[in-house]
Structure formats: structure tokens, C-alpha cells
Amino acid sequence: DAGVTQSPTHLIKTRGQHVTLRCSPISGHKSVSWYQQVLGQGPQFIFQYYEKEERGRGNFPDRFSARQFPNYSSELNVNALLLGDSALYLCASGKQGLDTQYFGPGTRLTVL
Amino acid sequence: GENVEQHPSTLSVQEGDSAVIKCTYSDSASNYFPWYKQELGKRPQLIIDIRSNVGEKKDQRIAVTLNKTAKHFSLHITETQPEDSAVYFCAASSASNTGKLIFGQGTTLQVKP
């Protein structure tokens, strides 16, 4: 799990703005999953990408989108930010993604 | 819908005692059950996992048991140490083959020296 990296570490935005979060998986892993963790709760699944295609999508609005690049890194985009989008956004890496997943350090997003 | 219930929400034990955290899942097709430890301000760290074809798995002081019939699984930590203090999350794989993990609400474990 030490190999999953995310950037930036922290981010402050205002309502209505757009944000892009980035993730690099462990070398050799082909799946990237995105989770939202609100303070005091467990992570909530947003997306999983495997081999550059969307494999799964959680119960999040269309303002949330993602993609995976040929080097298996990934971006999570959130448009029209709301106060309720303030959370820790976690990226998880897996070989195939259907079981063992290792989390990155997360990006702390604050929306003012 | 898919759901994982976790209990207790907080647990306080004396150093050296055992700690047990229990989870119940809703979808009988779930087949993978990981446990994560999350220290304050840090990433969730995978500490142990179990698949549905196994009833018990142990790794040093940590063990997980799975009862598929009852749809519940438990984390057992023996000989607890202050550094075990953290929030522990259980999770279950979604039956939808999307790679989705469904997490419990978390248990805050405090180990008193």
C-alpha cells in the first residue's frame, strides 16, 4: 500500500468550482477505485476503473466523473462543488480490483 | 440494498486484553471481507482479509472468522497494545462484480496502558 500516491494532499475550493484529484496505483496494479470518506464514517464507493474502463459506479451524482490513463493512473473530477462534497477522497489500487485493494493517503477537500 | 452493520461503535480495553469487533452483511453473494485500520489523519491500512471459502484466518495477534450462513464476520485482536488504538472498518465485496467494497460505520478502539 505504500506505493499508492495521491495529489494534492489538501485542497480548498469554493462552491460552484471544479476540482481534479489524481492517483497513481501500485506498480503492476491495473485497477483504481475512488472512495469518499466523510468525517466519522466509512468510505463510500464512487467509481472503479479497470484496464481503463469504468467497471463500477456508486450512488453519486453526474457531477462526479473519472478516467484512467494508459499508465493506469486516474483522475477524479467533481464539477459544481457543494459544501457537502467536503471530505477525504481516497484512491485504492488493486491487481484486478475485485478483491484486495490498497488505499492511498487521500486528498482532503474542503469546500467553502 | 447492500449494507454492512458494524458493532460496537466504540470499544475500550485494557492493554493485554482481547478485543472483538463484529460485522453483519446483507448480500449473501458477497465473497470477500477485508478489515482496515485507520489511524487519525492516515490512510485505511489493510490488516487482514478473508474469502468466503474459508471460515477462519489468523495472522499473529489478529484473526478473522466468517459465518456465511449467518452472514456475519468478526475481527479478534489478542494481547492488545496501545498502538492498536485506531478506527477499524470492516467491508464486504459487492455481489455486482464492480470492485465495490461496502464499508461498515467503523469501530473506535482505545487500548489503555
Side-chain angles (χ1 to χ4, degrees):
Chain A
D1 64 307
V4 181
T5 60
Q6 291 187 244
S7 63
T9 305
H10 296 88
L11 206 51
I12 299 175
K13 293 285 188 178
T14 56
R15 282 177 296 174
Q17 285 190 311
H18 163 271
V19 69
T20 298
L21 310 181
R22 295 177 175 84
C23 171
S24 291
I26 292 170
S27 178
H29 284 192
K30 298 182 177 180
S31 81
V32 169
S33 302
W34 288 95
Y35 289 82
Q36 181 195 66
Q37 186 177 27
V38 174
L39 196 62
Q41 297 182 19
Q44 297 290 318
F45 177 78
I46 309 175
F47 288 109
Q48 186 181 86
Y49 277 76
Y50 175 66
E51 287 282 18
K52 292 155 281 184
E53 294 197 1
E54 182 183 301
R55 174 189 262 163
R57 172 186 287 254
N59 188 24
F60 280 80
D62 291 343
R63 300 184 295 107
F64 289 76
S65 63
R67 56 179 176 166
Q68 187 176 33
F69 299 98
N71 66 354
Y72 301 108
S73 67
S74 177
E75 281 183 355
L76 174 69
N77 295 282
V78 187
N79 292 323
L81 286 166
L82 303 174
L83 295 179
D85 295 331
S86 295
L88 180 67
Y89 288 84
L90 294 161
C91 166
S93 159
K95 288 183 180 178
Q96 295 184 341
L98 290 180
D99 47 31
T100 310
Q101 297 181 32
Y102 300 95
F103 283 93
T107 294
R108 172 72 61 187
L109 173 65
T110 302
V111 182
L112 303 176
Chain B
E2 300 170 317
N3 189 44
V4 174
E5 293 288 336
Q6 183 172 346
H7 299 281
S9 56
T10 60
L11 180 59
S12 181
V13 300
Q14 287 295 134
E15 182 177 0
D17 287 350
S18 295
V20 180
I21 303 171
K22 299 182 179 182
C23 290
T24 303
Y25 59 98
S26 61
D27 194 331
S28 57
S30 292
N31 58 13
Y32 173 68
F33 308 91
W35 286 87
Y36 289 88
K37 173 185 179 182
Q38 188 173 30
E39 297 176 63
L40 191 62
K42 296 191 176 181
R43 73 184 77 189
Q45 177 189 359
L46 179 68
I47 56 172
I48 196 166
D49 56 11
I50 192 168
R51 288 169 175 77
S52 58
N53 59 345
V54 175
E56 184 174 357
K57 183 177 179 181
K58 189 174 182 180
D59 182 5
Q60 298 182 0
R61 298 186 295 110
I62 295 174
V64 58
T65 58
L66 172 65
N67 183 327
K68 287 181 61 180
T69 304
K71 291 190 289 185
H72 66 70
F73 56 114
S74 299
L75 178 72
H76 304 254
I77 306 174
T78 59
E79 301 173 18
T80 53
Q81 301 167 2
E83 50 265 40
D84 293 330
S85 297
V87 180
Y88 290 81
F89 291 98
C90 63
S93 61
S94 167
S96 60
N97 264 356
T98 60
K100 175 181 180 180
L101 292 177
I102 305 147
F103 283 82
Q105 300 91 331
T107 296
T108 300
L109 173 65
Q110 182 187 26
V111 180
K112 299 178 181 177

